[in-house]
């Protein structure tokens, strides 16, 4: 599946012109999109919900994540920003809180002029919330789900 995800994003990124990719650097889709951007020399910005996002990941995933971050144009730990719209009350920076994932998604979308997603259209979860937030801001959302289904 990771090779399929990589190929979907590689093909889309190589066929389209973007200034930079903004990604949450989460396991799966995010990491594969970043890898494709790096391979195509497209700058990327990592919007990470909290500093220890990878603390419970397998060592091989931590290694890839940390290596990819070295290529980032910018790494932003969203829970360390001073903007109160991205902060979770009573949650220390660097520590897990599920609401930080939603706020990270909002931060990413707030940086974008359009959104690229792999969204299965189910009205649940973080991708659903991110797409709805992007649409509420009037952003164009390109959904690559049909390509994923076609090749999976």
């Amino acid at each position: 599946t990771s090779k399929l995800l990589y190929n979907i994003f590689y093909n889309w990124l190589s066929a389209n012109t973007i200034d930079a990719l903004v990604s949450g650097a989460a396991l799966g889709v995010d990491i594969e999109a970043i890898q494709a951007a790096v391979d195509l020399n497209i700058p990327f910005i990592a919007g990470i919900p909290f500093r220890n996002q990878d603390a419970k990941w397998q060592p091989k995933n931590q290694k890839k994540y940390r290596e990819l971050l070295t290529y980032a144009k910018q790494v932003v730990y969203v829970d360390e920003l001073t903007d109160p719209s991205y902060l979770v009350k009573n949650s220390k920076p660097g520590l897990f809180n599920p609401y930080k994932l939603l706020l990270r998604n909002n931060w990413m979308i707030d940086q974008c002029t359009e959104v690229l997603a792999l969204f299965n259209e189910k009205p649940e979860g973080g991708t659903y919330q991110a797409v709805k937030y992007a649409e509420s801001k009037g952003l164009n959302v390109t959904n690559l789900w049909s390509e994923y289904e076609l090749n999976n």
Side-chain angles (χ1 to χ4, degrees), residues 12-52:
W12 191 92
L13 291 169
S14 53
N16 294 273
T17 302
I18 65 170
D19 295 328
L21 177 75
V22 179
S23 174
L27 284 175
V29 171
D30 291 4
I31 292 293
E32 297 308 324
I34 289 172
Q35 183 67 65
V38 167
D39 291 349
L40 291 165
N41 294 313
I42 296 170
F44 79 92
I45 298 166
I48 300 172
F50 52 93
R51 193 171 289 273
N52 297 312

Side-chain angles (χ1 to χ4, degrees), residues 7-149:
N7 287 337
I8 288 170
F9 284 96
Y10 185 93
N11 292 339
W12 191 92
L13 291 169
S14 53
N16 294 273
T17 302
I18 65 170
D19 295 328
L21 177 75
V22 179
S23 174
L27 284 175
V29 171
D30 291 4
I31 292 293
E32 297 308 324
I34 289 172
Q35 183 67 65
V38 167
D39 291 349
L40 291 165
N41 294 313
I42 296 170
F44 79 92
I45 298 166
I48 300 172
F50 52 93
R51 193 171 289 273
N52 297 312
Q53 169 175 263
D54 67 334
K56 295 185 179 184
W57 296 1
Q58 294 180 1
K60 68 176 185 171
N61 294 329
Q62 289 176 333
K63 182 180 179 193
K64 183 172 184 175
Y65 167 78
R66 292 172 184 168
E67 180 183 324
L68 286 172
L69 289 184
T70 67
Y71 293 97
K73 175 181 176 182
Q74 182 181 11
V75 175
V76 175
Y77 296 100
V78 177
D79 75 339
E80 296 176 15
L81 296 172
T82 56
D83 185 333
S85 59
Y86 303 119
L87 299 178
V88 178
K89 290 180 183 177
N90 302 319
S91 182
K92 293 180 182 177
L95 299 179
F96 175 78
N97 182 303
Y99 194 57
K100 290 181 181 182
L101 305 176
L102 171 69
L103 296 177
R104 178 268 324 267
N105 290 347
N106 290 356
W107 179 86
M108 289 188 309
I109 290 162
D110 289 342
Q111 311 313 303
C112 296
T113 55
E114 80 178 274
V115 174
L116 181 62
L118 188 67
F119 174 47
N120 64 8
E121 304 287 340
K122 292 182 181 175
E124 58 191 25
T127 304
Y128 168 75
Q129 293 171 341
V131 167
K132 292 301 164 205
Y133 182 69
E135 290 173 345
S136 77
K137 294 182 62 78
L139 297 177
N140 178 53
V141 177
T142 300
N143 187 0
L144 299 177
W145 185 257
S146 60
E147 187 171 342
Y148 177 77
E149 277 195 318

